Amino acid sequence: MFKNKIFILIVSILIAITLILTAAFVLWNFMEKNNQSKDPAVQAQEAVASVKPTKAPSAEAVKANTAIIKDILTNLSGSQNFIKISFAFELENSKTKTEFDSLLESAVKGTIVQALGDLTKEQIEGSKGSDSLTSTLMNKLNPLLHEGKIKQIWITDKVLQ
């Protein structure tokens, strides 16, 4: 079989083509890495430039995909202070809202009460405290949803005592 000159010629051509393609692939990757900037500010600008603008949802669509939780009352860490708080959760789509509503009374409220119980009055005061709370809730609640994600959480009412 190896004595056939045509077979040997075809095998050597295939090996040569494979080596050429491998060298081209390695060279392409090397050139791409050299073109990328190492400055984080430039990388951020390039990432922003590559984002395609999306059409903003209408007010009706936002309202239809928003779940509201009113008046959660719980003790803060240290048990001398308590908080009464309300939230509005904007969800990606109607399937996500349906799933969120089914988890509302159990997992969602339980997660909120647990997150609030871990905070002190000083940690939740001010806009930084509100931002920290909403980001914590988003990180804890998004894994519970399978149909989509929470887009935004607003604190609509907050009373610290």
Side-chain angles (χ1 to χ4, degrees), residues 71-104:
D71 300 335
I72 293 179
L73 180 64
T74 188
N75 289 341
L76 294 174
S77 181
S79 74
Q80 294 178 351
N81 299 310
F82 67 91
I83 187 168
K84 181 180 178 183
I85 192 165
S86 300
F87 295 97
F89 295 87
E90 183 184 348
L91 303 152
E92 281 184 335
N93 53 45
S94 60
K95 287 182 180 180
T96 309
K97 182 170 185 317
T98 303
E99 182 181 18
F100 187 85
D101 288 341
S102 67
L103 295 171
L104 188 63

Side-chain angles (χ1 to χ4, degrees), residues 23-145:
F25 179 74
V26 169
L27 185 62
W28 180 268
N29 283 340
F30 178 73
M31 296 300 285
E32 281 292 316
K33 287 182 182 176
N34 284 343
N35 288 341
Q36 292 179 350
S37 174
K38 296 193 188 311
D39 183 22
V42 173
Q43 287 177 346
Q45 288 175 349
E46 290 172 356
V48 168
S50 67
V51 173
K52 296 177 183 175
T54 59
K55 183 179 168 187
S58 66
E60 292 82 23
V62 171
K63 184 177 179 183
N65 294 329
T66 300
I68 296 174
I69 300 177
K70 292 187 178 186
D71 300 335
I72 293 179
L73 180 64
T74 188
N75 289 341
L76 294 174
S77 181
S79 74
Q80 294 178 351
N81 299 310
F82 67 91
I83 187 168
K84 181 180 178 183
I85 192 165
S86 300
F87 295 97
F89 295 87
E90 183 184 348
L91 303 152
E92 281 184 335
N93 53 45
S94 60
K95 287 182 180 180
T96 309
K97 182 170 185 317
T98 303
E99 182 181 18
F100 187 85
D101 288 341
S102 67
L103 295 171
L104 188 63
E105 291 300 320
S106 58
V108 174
K109 284 188 178 180
T111 302
I112 293 170
V113 169
Q114 182 183 19
L116 290 170
D118 291 340
L119 298 174
T120 63
K121 183 177 180 180
E122 292 77 27
Q123 290 174 322
I124 201 165
E125 286 180 325
S127 62
K128 286 184 181 180
S130 296
D131 289 344
S132 174
L133 175 62
T134 56
S135 64
T136 300
L137 289 176
M138 193 171 292
N139 291 335
K140 287 185 176 186
L141 293 173
N142 269 332
L144 300 175
L145 301 172

